[in-house]
Amino acid sequence: MDSNKGFNVAVVGATGAVGQQMLNTLAKRNFPIASLKLLASKRSAGKKMQFNGNEYMIEEATPQAFEGVQLALFSAGGSISKELAPEAAKRGAIVVDNTSAFRMDPDTPLVVPEVNEDALKNHNGIIANPNCSTIQMVVALEPIRQKYGLKKVIVSTYQAVSGAGAKAIDEMNDQTQSILNGEEFTPEVLPVSGDKKHYQIAFNAVPQIDKFQDNGYTFEEMKMINETKKIMSMQELEVAATCVRLPVETGHSESVYIEIDDENVSVADMKSLLAEAEGVTLQDDPSEQLYPMPANCVGKDDVFVGRIRKDLDRKNGFHMWVVSDNLLKGAALNSVQIAESLVKLNLLK
Ligand code: NAP
Ligand code: 3JM
């Protein structure tokens, strides 16, 4: 590695909600970049974008665009990743993929650096970035698992519209205006752009994120369940999830119930553990009405944890409230941290 000169980097989906945050995060963290390619669809090819004060021309993402690229950060949807991530890897790039395309592939590491950085050592050219809701939850759960053991997790999410992309943000804002103005509107994007029906998101709560599976759970819920077990290397962990979309622009919140192995842990023990945990900020003081909220987490790197309570019926049960910026730790920041870990482990050549 020659980190003075930096790496040849490509960002696929550079014009999107996640792609924009990837670029901000690369710049903010001063990731060593020798050359940068901004890739998107044919629709954007030829348009210009700024990065670190310089102007770049957006190119169409094609297999040939990855010639000479060492690191490719993908966030342009699962079908683009399925088609182009192997093409990038074939040309020698290491891919960090933000989509669900390869997450459950046994040959693909699924990585949150605070939890399982070592899994990167077994990569085969593609590394998967987990789902936003999974990432913030496992950052909070891993220190608890390490110290007190973990048996069971039941999570309900309160997810922001930016997790569904730039069009979903516009839909929420336009609908809100229409409703306040007493005008008609037609939902077209949420809950899922490709599904049969669309529902109002403004002033609403929609218990569907991604499409439904035959078992009655949505894909988003199954992502949380399967990805949590894979990242924490705990197939035996009991996990259930209910995922809900709220009219919040950015910042996912989660109500998390856990059962641990140890029956003698106090709330004070749990708070002092999480106060010291990597990537976690504890915000928990009921006497001061201190607890995490999405509006206060936007633009911040950490996972914020509060409302820690012991279950009233189970000695080994705890409840907590976990909030993070879904576009940062949930997506762009975690991807850039994976890239930084690759550099640190001397895996990016
Ligand atoms: P978005 O705002 O809708 O942006 C989509 C991006 O994909 C745009 O840059 C778009 O380029 C590009 N794109 C679309 N079709 C393409 C094509 N045929 N070839 C190349 N590029 C194409 O969506 P987003 O919120 O940024 O999310 C993008 C993807 O990231 C999602 O589909 C999802 O798989 C993943 N994601 C992951 C997480 C996570 O939890 N880790 C969270 C959110 C999203 P144009 O501007 O040219 O159309
Ligand atoms: C978050 O493939 C697509 O159309 C994107 C669907 C999507 C995903 C996904 O499955 O990759 C939208 C928003 C995610 C995700 O991170 O799982």
Side-chain angles (χ1 to χ4, degrees):
M1 179 200 71
D2 185 347
S3 59
N4 290 329
K5 272 185 21 212
F7 302 96
N8 300 328
V9 177
V11 174
V12 188
T15 54
V18 175
Q20 291 286 312
Q21 291 302 330
M22 294 254 194
L23 295 171
N24 290 341
T25 306
L26 287 167
K28 188 173 163 191
R29 295 173 76 89
N30 220 1
F31 188 82
I33 296 178
S35 75
L36 179 66
K37 277 191 180 189
L38 303 187
L39 305 177
S41 78
K42 211 187 263 179
R43 296 178 292 277
S44 303
K47 291 185 187 159
K48 300 205 164 100
M49 270 173 63
Q50 296 278 329
F51 175 77
N52 251 350
N54 297 316
E55 200 168 65
Y56 289 81
M57 173 105 79
I58 299 167
E59 296 171 50
E60 184 183 354
T62 61
Q64 296 71 33
F66 297 98
E67 295 292 349
V69 169
Q70 293 167 291
L71 173 71
L73 303 175
F74 273 69
S75 67
S79 58
I80 309 296
S81 290
K82 279 191 185 134
E83 183 192 331
L84 291 178
E87 296 289 345
K90 205 164 80 185
R91 288 168 172 79
I94 297 189
V95 171
V96 179
D97 181 32
N98 240 287
T99 80
S100 56
F102 298 98
R103 287 182 192 147
M104 297 314 297
D105 170 7
D107 292 330
T108 302
L110 180 64
V111 177
V112 178
E114 292 90 336
V115 179
N116 65 338
E117 185 182 57
D118 275 356
L120 291 172
K121 292 175 183 160
N122 297 321
H123 82 82
N124 291 306
I126 301 176
I127 293 143
N129 187 91
N131 180 261
C132 39
S133 304
T134 311
I135 295 175
Q136 68 182 64
M137 185 170 79
V138 298
V139 167
L141 293 185
E142 176 63 11
I144 299 171
R145 183 193 71 80
Q146 279 184 20
K147 185 144 188 201
Y148 301 123
L150 192 62
K151 282 187 184 3
K152 185 181 185 82
V153 180
I154 301 176
V155 55
S156 296
T157 70
Y158 304 68
Q159 295 182 223
V161 291
S162 59
K167 286 191 185 130
I169 301 174
D170 292 344
E171 174 163 78
M172 179 188 74
N173 290 332
D174 294 347
Q175 256 176 34
T176 305
Q177 281 290 355
S178 299
I179 291 171
L180 292 174
N181 295 341
E183 294 161 4
E184 296 283 311
F185 61 91
T186 309
E188 285 171 350
V189 180
L190 292 165
V192 187
S193 55
D195 216 342
K196 289 190 290 290
K197 293 184 181 172
H198 300 294
Y199 296 120
Q200 172 183 336
I201 184 63
F203 306 103
N204 205 2
V206 181
Q208 181 189 354
I209 300 184
D210 212 329
K211 292 186 174 171
F212 279 96
Q213 291 198 342
D214 290 343
N215 66 1
Y217 287 78
T218 63
F219 273 96
E220 185 84 350
E221 289 159 355
M222 293 311 298
K223 286 174 198 173
M224 286 196 81
I225 293 165
N226 294 327
E227 293 175 18
T228 298
K229 295 179 194 212
K230 177 168 173 176
I231 298 161
M232 298 181 88
S233 295
M234 272 192 94
Q235 285 309 312
E236 70 281 14
L237 183 65
E238 294 176 17
V239 191
T242 303
C243 292
V244 180
R245 187 80 69 190
L246 288 196
V248 167
E249 183 169 314
T250 301
H252 287 355
S253 306
E254 301 178 342
S255 168
V256 186
Y257 169 72
I258 58 170
E259 287 174 14
I260 58 176
D261 290 340
D262 192 331
E263 295 202 335
N264 300 306
V265 179
S266 67
V267 167
D269 293 333
M270 199 59 93
K271 284 187 186 176
S272 55
L273 173 67
L274 287 167
E276 297 302 318
E278 195 186 346
V280 174
T281 296
L282 184 74
Q283 283 186 336
D284 196 341
D285 186 353
S287 71
E288 295 295 330
Q289 288 177 278
L290 179 67
Y291 38 74
M293 289 185 278
N296 298 333
C297 298
V298 178
K300 307 227 168 90
D301 286 352
D302 267 6
V303 172
F304 294 82
V305 183
R307 299 294 325 275
I308 299 173
R309 286 148 292 152
K310 199 149 179 153
D311 188 68
L312 298 178
D313 299 302
R314 283 191 172 264
K315 283 186 179 162
N316 64 338
F318 283 85
H319 301 264
M320 62 188 73
W321 179 248
V322 179
V323 182
S324 194
D325 184 321
N326 53 296
L327 297 177
L328 291 181
K329 186 58 188 167
L333 172 62
N334 197 66
S335 289
V336 174
Q337 286 174 322
I338 289 173
E340 290 169 350
S341 294
L342 289 168
V343 174
K344 185 180 85 185
L345 297 171
N346 213 8
L347 294 168
L348 196 56
K349 307 251 157 63

